Amino acid sequence: MPRPPKSNEYAQFVRWIATPSFERNPKTQDELAKSILKVDPSTLSDWKLDPQFWEDVKDEFKINWGKERIPDVMKGLYRKAVQEGDANAVKLFLQYFDEWVERQDEQ
């Protein structure tokens, strides 16, 4: 299958798919195709058949959607570590901020 063009519509669709479904606007792929992107809905389905599309979605999710939420997640992790004394939360917090590495016992 030929690669989809890296058009503005393609990029918008990648961003939309990379957004968790509860945050998507419009809510359906069909609505997105018709009202926002002005493309035939089958075009989006075709793009989804290309493995590169899913690599692009993964990159978008990690780079844009995920990175923006790191501060909120870290705040929640900190709260859980401090308020609940959750050992896993403490460990993750130290690994992230202090580059702490758990020692492995040598036998």
Side-chain angles (χ1 to χ4, degrees), residues 18 56-68 70:
D56 294 341
V57 169
K58 183 172 69 172
D59 291 345
E60 174 70 24
F61 184 77
K62 287 170 58 178
I63 293 167
N64 294 321
W65 191 87
K67 289 214 183 269
E68 289 179 10
I70 288 174

Side-chain angles (χ1 to χ4, degrees), residues 49-81:
L49 295 175
D50 185 346
Q52 182 58 48
F53 172 79
W54 295 106
E55 289 299 314
D56 294 341
V57 169
K58 183 172 69 172
D59 291 345
E60 174 70 24
F61 184 77
K62 287 170 58 178
I63 293 167
N64 294 321
W65 191 87
K67 289 214 183 269
E68 289 179 10
R69 283 147 180 88
I70 288 174
D72 292 335
V73 170
M74 295 312 295
K75 183 178 178 181
L77 180 63
Y78 173 76
R79 188 173 327 154
K80 189 168 179 88

